[in-house]
């Protein structure tokens, strides 16, 4: 049996389709900023700093969530955010409006795996804590490749499952609860970048406890 990544399943995995994602984030929207938002803030800052350093001004943030990253972008970057969850987007829109963020071009309900943007619309795409949520991460990467200009920047920050050790056991144990918690704790990577034929990534471990990694890719064949 193959999983959403096209690799062999080694343990149980609860399927998480678009409806499950919407339901999970409808439940979490109230407390999201004060728990996961805080735990992940260091990685979010690092990812947005990488966006701000990257050449070009048109930025796509997929899975923008409640818009925690929106105030961190340089005013020189023109940011479009998309998300599947209308509930998360409501909060993102309120944040952008309250803070008067004039560089936010649009916040739209859309599936990051199949967007309506023309090819090569953006200089930079960033997906923060999204790759382990979408049902098909390979489709996500293929779509980011399509909408980012050749030579542009693709950034991901995510939790990537360990290959072994005690944390790996925790990740495996949590895997069947994916639909409930809203992400796949047993999400493995590495090979998905190769499969997407993206130019070598720089991978930087992020606190706390190297739980997250920032992956920097160039939209060029490997
Ligand atoms: C863990 S949250 C991360 C939110 C935000 N990036 C942050 O840093 O806080 C994952 C987000 O991805 C969104 N998401 C999941 N699958 C998606 C998809 N296929 N297309 C667009 N957004 C998606 C969820 O609705 C949720 O808002």
């Amino acid at each position: 049996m193959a999983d959403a990544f096209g690799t062999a399943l080694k343990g149980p995995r609860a399927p998480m389709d678009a409806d499950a994602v919407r339901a999970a984030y409808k439940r979490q929207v109230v407390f999201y900023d004060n728990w996961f938002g805080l735990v992940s803030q260091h990685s979010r800052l690092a990812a947005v700093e990488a966006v701000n350093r990257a050449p070009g001004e048109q930025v796509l943030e997929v899975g923008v969530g409640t818009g925690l990253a929106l105030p961190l972008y340089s005013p020189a970057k023109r940011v479009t955010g998309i998300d599947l969850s209308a509930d998360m987007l409501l909060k993102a829109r309120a944040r952008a409006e309250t803070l008067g963020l004039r560089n936010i071009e649009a916040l739209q309900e859309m599936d990051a795996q199949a967007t309506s943007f023309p090819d090569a619309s953006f200089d930079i795409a960033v997906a923060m804590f999204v790759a382990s949520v979408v049902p098909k991460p390979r489709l996500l990467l293929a779509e980011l490749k399509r909408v980012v200009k050749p030579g542009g920047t693709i950034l991901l920050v995510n939790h990537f499952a360990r290959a072994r050790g005690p944390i790996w056991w925790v990740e495996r144990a949590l895997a069947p609860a994916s639909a409930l918690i809203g992400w796949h704790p047993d999400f493995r990577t590495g090979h998905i970048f190769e499969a997407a034929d993206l130019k070598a990534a720089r991978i930087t471990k992020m606190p706390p406890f190297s739980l997250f990694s920032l992956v920097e890719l160039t939209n060029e064949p490997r």
Side-chain angles (χ1 to χ4, degrees):
M1 187 178 164
D3 68 2
F5 320 114
T7 51
L9 262 186
K10 295 204 175 64
R13 178 190 284 281
M16 197 163 46
D17 58 15
D19 287 340
V21 168
R22 290 190 190 97
Y25 287 96
K26 191 181 190 65
R27 285 192 301 272
Q28 293 188 30
V29 67
V30 182
F31 50 90
Y32 181 90
D33 289 0
N34 291 325
W35 74 277
F36 188 75
L38 289 180
V39 173
S40 54
Q41 185 63 1
H42 186 285
S43 306
R44 191 175 293 102
L45 279 167
V48 177
E49 272 168 22
V51 169
N52 290 340
R53 276 197 311 270
E57 67 172 31
Q58 292 299 331
V59 177
L60 174 65
E61 184 183 337
V62 300
V64 64
T66 62
L68 285 171
L70 297 178
L72 308 173
Y73 290 108
S74 152
K77 300 292 186 198
R78 315 298 308 170
V79 181
T80 298
I82 62 167
D83 203 286
L84 262 187
S85 163
D87 298 279
M88 296 289 267
L89 275 171
L90 264 182
K91 226 168 160 178
R93 290 190 186 115
R95 190 187 307 275
E97 201 175 308
T98 308
L99 298 177
L101 302 175
R102 299 170 64 160
N103 59 331
I104 309 304
E105 304 248 290
L107 292 168
Q108 291 176 261
E109 197 174 327
M110 204 184 285
D111 185 348
Q113 298 172 131
T115 73
S116 58
F117 303 115
D119 293 357
S121 297
F122 298 96
D123 301 294
I124 305 155
V126 59
M128 293 178 254
F129 318 104
V130 180
S132 56
V133 179
V134 295
K136 298 203 165 105
R138 282 187 185 169
L139 280 189
L140 170 69
L141 278 176
E143 187 62 359
L144 298 185
K145 269 179 73 169
R146 186 186 72 74
V147 300
V148 169
K149 293 173 186 162
T153 306
I154 298 176
L155 296 155
L156 284 94
V157 72
N158 221 89
H159 169 76
F160 297 116
R162 306 290 205 279
R164 63 186 76 82
I167 294 181
W168 175 73
W169 283 104
V170 175
E171 289 159 349
R172 277 184 64 113
L174 282 173
S178 298
L180 187 68
I181 61 179
W183 58 287
H184 293 289
D186 57 341
F187 176 61
R188 304 273 297 267
T189 156
H191 57 278
I192 70 163
F193 305 121
E194 287 160 33
D197 193 25
L198 280 162
K199 191 161 174 195
R202 185 158 66 143
I203 301 184
T204 314
K205 292 277 184 198
M206 296 281 146
F209 314 115
S210 300
L211 203 55
F212 303 112
S213 301
L214 172 64
V215 181
E216 301 177 56
L217 302 152
T218 306
N219 196 14
E220 278 168 10
R222 301 170 73 240

